[in-house]
Every structure is written in C-alpha cells, then in structure tokens.
C-alpha cells in the first residue's frame, strides 16, 4: 500500500488538530508587542516634544507683520537689545551673506531676516551693502538691510524677496526700524 501524501492523514487516523501551546501563543503575541511598544514610544515622544516646546516658548509676542516670503527658507531673528527690566535675548549670530528684512514681531521688536541672493547693484537701486554708521550701542558698526515694500497688504504669501545687502559674519542686534525701506542692524565681531 502506498504511503499517504505528505500533509494528508492516513485513513483511520482521525486526530483533532492540536491547540497551540503556551510557547506557540507566546510567539504570536510577541508579534504585537513591538507594535504596542512602538506606539507607546511614539506617544511618549510626542508628549515630551510638546512639553519641551511649551517650556521653550520664550517671550510671548503680541503682534507682527510680514512683508514678503523667503524663498531660501533661511530666516534668522534679530532682536533689540534688552532694556532695563526686560528679558535678555542676546545678539544673534549671522553667517556672512546677503539678507533682507521680511517681517517684524513685537514685543520685543524682532526682525526676521531672510537669506537672499545679491542685488543687481547700485544702478538698479540694489546696493551690495549699506553702511550706516560706526559705534552703535554695544557694537562696532551699523549696516542696513532692505525692507521690501508690498502694496496692498502683507502676509506670508506675499511676493518673494529677491535681493539683500551683504552682512559679514558676526553678532547682530536690531537697532532702528523707523525707515520703511531700510532696517539698521548693529554688528559686533564678538559675542555681547
């Protein structure tokens, strides 16, 4: 008589399938443990990130205005030096490059500077750099960065800033924002 095919019981060999034992059950449920562990870790990470974000909010800002969008996506914040009784924000380190002032928030007055390309030159009204004066408070030299004029309102969807003036490597504070076309920033070669 030929041997039964593999996987088929021989006639008269009626056995009920065996129930999975503790070892087998353990293997099946272990497949769910990594998923549960991963979900728990993800939830803890999200909660921790939220707590750190809330803890690191710094000074609350009451208002602000945006004149243009920043195509490079490289935006740095430069604030006014702390006055008596105000929290110290410290000077901001900027790498050498071309910058334009695209937005302001307050208080304290803080300029958002967008890293841009160089302008087309003085003949096009887009100078390479703008020197304001020497001896700004707590710094060495004041430079000007352009502030784009946007007709009909402002917003993040505003026209992209296309050029900026050159700022050397250094530490910067916001000095003067009264000129609607130019913003003055105070430069220092050392951290203040």
């Amino acid at each position: 008589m030929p041997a039964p095919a593999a996987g088929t019981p021989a006639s008269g060999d009626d056995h009920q399938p065996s129930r999975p034992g503790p070892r087998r059950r353990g293997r099946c449920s272990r497949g769910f443990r990594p998923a549960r562990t991963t979900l728990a870790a993800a939830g803890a990470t999200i909660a921790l990130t939220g707590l750190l974000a809330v803890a690191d909010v710094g000074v609350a800002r009451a208002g602000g205005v945006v004149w243009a969008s920043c195509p490079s996506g490289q935006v740095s914040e430069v604030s006014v030096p702390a006055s008596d009784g105000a929290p110290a924000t410290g000077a901001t380190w900027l790498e050498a490059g071309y910058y334009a002032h695209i937005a302001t928030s307050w208080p304290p007055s803080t300029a958002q500077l967008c890293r841009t390309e160089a302008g087309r030159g003085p003949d096009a009204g887009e100078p390479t750099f703008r020197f304001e004066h020497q001896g700004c408070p707590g710094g060495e030299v004041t430079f000007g960065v352009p502030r784009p004029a946007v007709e009909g309102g402002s917003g993040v969807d505003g026209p992209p800033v296309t050029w900026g003036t050159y700022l050397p490597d250094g530490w910067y504070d916001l000095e003067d924002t009264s000129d609607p076309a130019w913003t003055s920033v105070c430069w220092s070669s050392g951290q203040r």
Side-chain angles (χ1 to χ4, degrees):
M1 180 160 167
T8 7
S11 61
D13 195 9
D14 291 294
H15 295 282
Q16 290 186 344
S18 64
R19 302 178 109 202
R23 184 174 193 167
R24 187 168 189 159
R25 263 188 236 126
R27 278 190 205 143
C28 291
S29 63
R30 269 192 226 135
F32 293 108
R33 260 192 209 133
R36 275 187 264 153
T37 304
T38 302
L39 289 173
T45 302
I46 290 169
L48 182 58
T49 303
L51 288 173
L52 290 176
V54 168
D56 195 34
V57 292
V59 178
R61 299 226 168 100
V65 61
V66 178
W67 296 284
S69 60
C70 183
S72 71
Q74 297 177 31
V75 177
S76 300
E77 291 191 341
V78 177
S79 299
V80 294
S83 58
D84 292 340
T89 56
T92 301
W93 171 262
L94 294 177
E95 290 182 6
Y98 297 90
Y99 293 87
H101 180 186
I102 62 161
T104 296
S105 56
W106 58 83
S109 289
T110 304
Q112 280 79 40
L113 302 184
C114 172
R115 189 151 181 157
T116 66
E117 297 295 322
R120 294 173 289 172
D123 293 342
E126 299 174 359
T128 305
F129 72 94
R130 181 172 168 133
F131 174 75
E132 299 283 329
H133 58 81
Q134 288 185 313
C136 52
E140 299 162 31
V141 175
T142 300
F143 291 100
V145 291
R147 186 184 332 179
V150 177
E151 293 181 25
S154 64
V156 226
D157 297 329
V161 69
T162 56
W163 68 279
T165 52
Y166 183 78
L167 296 177
D169 276 341
W171 297 92
Y172 289 87
D173 284 317
L174 187 58
E175 185 180 274
D176 184 16
T177 59
S178 61
D179 185 339
W182 292 91
T183 297
S184 298
V185 291
C186 180
W187 172 81
S188 179
S189 57
Q191 186 173 13
R192 294 178 261 154

